[in-house]
Amino acid sequence: MRLIQRWLASGKVRSASRRLADDPNARHYAELAQLYALQGALDNALEVATEGLRAYPKDTELRRLFDRTRQILREGRTRELTEELARSPRPAIWRELVEIMLEDGRIPRAEEFAAEWFQATKSADSIYWRARARAERYFVDRNREDGRFALELAQSAREAMPSDERPLRLMLEILCRVGGWGDARRVLARLLELCPGDPYLEARFRTVASMVASSKDLEACLRDVERTGRFADESEEAQSSAPQNAGLTVRPLLQALTREKGVLASFYVRGQTALVQGPRGYTAERTARGVSEILSASRTAGRKLGLGQALEVRLEGSFGTLVMAPGELGAGAVWLEDTQLSRKLEQGLQDLSSLTGLGREPQA
């Protein structure tokens, strides 16, 4: 029976491949990728989805297939590495596990693996990867203790491997994001000693040096980020304009959500601006402002209490149900009559909250 099913599936793949060759549109790319996935040929599915997204970067179905396939492949690889680690622990396995956890957004687990790696080997590379994981946690939660500890770990990694530029580049990334220009200039000077004549570093050094006079000390910078929830490279103006620039990508998602049964409105919030589908005029403005304020309050409370980033915010009452899915930069929200989200609505909210790299091509 399985042989017959496999033969039928391969016939469907051949037919879908011909349709794609005759008419290479987003729907045909998605159809072929899905057939490969159902057949268990996940590498082929990922290859087709990647090619499709390069041609149609704003297609939500291709993005969903791409993300889901990569996630399944990562989960399978994680199981293989965990089993191999139990049999024969070695640095290459530790490192790949940490990288996969970071790529998958499982930052605490990535740091746990890096800490276990250090306990087992005392290697300098494990210190760097723990610093990388803690920095990623800081970029999400913006808790100053995380930022300070990430810098301390990066400094320890630099002392343990002085000829490796990675710890310095990590320190530079953190310092530039918080606006610690004086410390950033010193890190750039050390990087230029390792990479003399690098035109990018030289240009960046001149830029940072011009900003040192207006720089606060590092502790004040970390406090400001924790208080405002905003990095130095995330001005209110830039955040406010982002949804408008991304409107062509976001609006089809919002329209699709609003067409679902029982949905009264859908929102995409980023910074102080929101895109709304559903209500119009004052009602839309008032509701969007309320969603933005709730999201801002939840992020602030999470930082102050050390709870991390909220995965979902839900309000229920006589008005219906408002469900919000905060992401790294923006957040999706739906206002519906019922209390239960359908799978399609859950996926739509996830797609909206993951719009952190609009317009980027997928990485194979």
Side-chain angles (χ1 to χ4, degrees):
M1 189 67 179
R2 286 186 179 179
L3 185 61
I4 296 174
Q5 290 174 337
R6 196 171 300 154
W7 180 79
L8 290 171
S10 64
K12 290 179 180 178
V13 166
R14 285 194 296 271
S15 298
S17 297
R18 284 194 296 271
R19 284 193 293 275
L20 178 59
D22 294 338
D23 184 11
N25 59 43
R27 183 169 60 86
H28 288 161
Y29 272 113
E31 180 185 356
L32 181 57
Q34 193 160 30
L35 284 170
Y36 272 131
L38 290 172
Q39 202 178 41
L42 294 177
D43 288 330
N44 291 340
L46 183 62
E47 184 179 348
V48 171
T50 301
E51 181 183 323
L53 276 174
R54 284 175 179 153
Y56 303 96
K58 296 175 183 178
D59 189 82
T60 55
E61 180 62 15
L62 279 172
R63 170 62 62 182
R64 186 188 69 79
L65 287 168
F66 174 83
D67 290 340
R68 181 58 181 153
T69 305
R70 284 230 303 180
Q71 182 183 356
I72 294 171
L73 285 169
R74 285 197 300 265
E75 288 172 354
R77 182 59 179 158
T78 299
R79 286 192 295 271
E80 293 173 3
L81 290 169
T82 304
E83 292 169 2
E84 184 64 24
L85 192 63
R87 289 193 298 267
S88 176
R90 50 193 188 274
I93 298 178
W94 290 113
R95 175 173 175 162
E96 189 174 350
L97 274 170
V98 174
E99 289 177 327
I100 289 175
M101 293 299 106
L102 288 176
E103 186 179 356
D104 211 25
R106 297 165 63 184
I107 298 171
R109 192 69 183 113
E111 190 171 355
E112 287 175 15
F113 274 127
E116 292 171 12
W117 179 6
F118 177 76
Q119 290 298 321
T121 66
K122 308 298 181 186
S123 76
D125 206 33
S126 66
I127 304 174
Y128 164 74
W129 282 102
R130 188 177 180 194
R132 178 82 259 176
R134 183 55 68 103
E136 293 298 331
R137 176 186 291 190
Y138 175 59
F139 295 151
V140 172
D141 296 340
R142 310 186 184 202
N143 183 304
R144 60 178 156 168
E145 294 298 329
D146 289 332
R148 190 184 299 118
F149 189 43
L151 286 168
E152 291 173 1
L153 286 168
Q155 177 63 24
S156 298
R158 175 185 170 267
E159 292 169 358
M161 42 186 186
S163 61
D164 193 322
E165 61 188 74
R166 290 176 303 159
L168 286 171
R169 289 188 181 275
L170 177 58
M171 293 169 70
L172 180 64
E173 181 181 358
I174 299 169
L175 292 168
C176 287
R177 294 202 68 179
V178 302
W181 306 119
D183 293 281
R185 181 175 63 174
R186 286 188 285 274
V187 170
L188 274 165
R190 297 189 189 106
L191 270 170
L192 281 166
E193 291 174 4
L194 290 177
C195 311
D198 185 306
Y200 170 76
L201 290 176
E202 288 179 347
R204 197 164 188 190
F205 182 87
R206 289 192 294 270
T207 301
V208 168
S210 68
M211 302 170 76
V212 169
S214 60
S215 176
K216 300 178 182 179
D217 66 80
L218 178 58
E219 191 59 32
C221 292
L222 292 169
R223 275 200 308 272
D224 284 349
V225 170
E226 183 179 62
R227 178 177 57 83
T228 65
R230 199 167 56 242
F231 286 114
D233 57 357
E234 293 176 346
S235 67
E236 288 188 27
E237 292 78 9
Q239 287 188 337
S240 297
S241 64
Q244 296 166 356
N245 296 336
L248 292 176
T249 302
V250 175
R251 287 191 191 281
L253 283 172
L254 294 177
Q255 291 165 353
L257 288 176
T258 309
R259 285 194 294 267
E260 290 296 299
K261 183 179 179 181
V263 174
L264 302 173
S266 61
F267 309 84
Y268 178 72
V269 179
R270 189 166 173 177
Q272 300 301 311
T273 302
L275 293 176
V276 184
Q277 286 291 320
R280 297 182 181 276
Y282 177 70
T283 301
E285 180 183 342
R286 181 187 60 186
T287 310
R289 187 167 59 246
V291 169
S292 181
E293 289 172 356
I294 292 168
L295 287 166
S296 177
S298 70
R299 288 189 175 112
T300 300
R303 285 194 301 272
K304 289 182 178 179
L305 298 175
L307 300 176
Q309 181 177 341
L311 299 178
E312 182 180 287
V313 180
R314 178 184 289 260
L315 298 176
E316 297 180 4
S318 58
F319 60 89
T321 303
L322 182 64
V323 183
M324 292 161 275
E328 184 180 343
L329 295 182
V334 290
W335 173 19
L336 60 157
E337 296 173 337
D338 201 357
T339 58
Q340 295 298 318
L341 287 176
S342 66
R343 290 189 63 182
K344 192 168 183 179
L345 288 176
E346 288 179 354
Q347 183 62 54
L349 282 176
Q350 183 180 338
D351 290 341
L352 285 171
S353 67
S354 65
L355 289 173
T356 60
L358 299 173
R360 288 187 304 189
E361 287 187 354
Q363 300 299 312

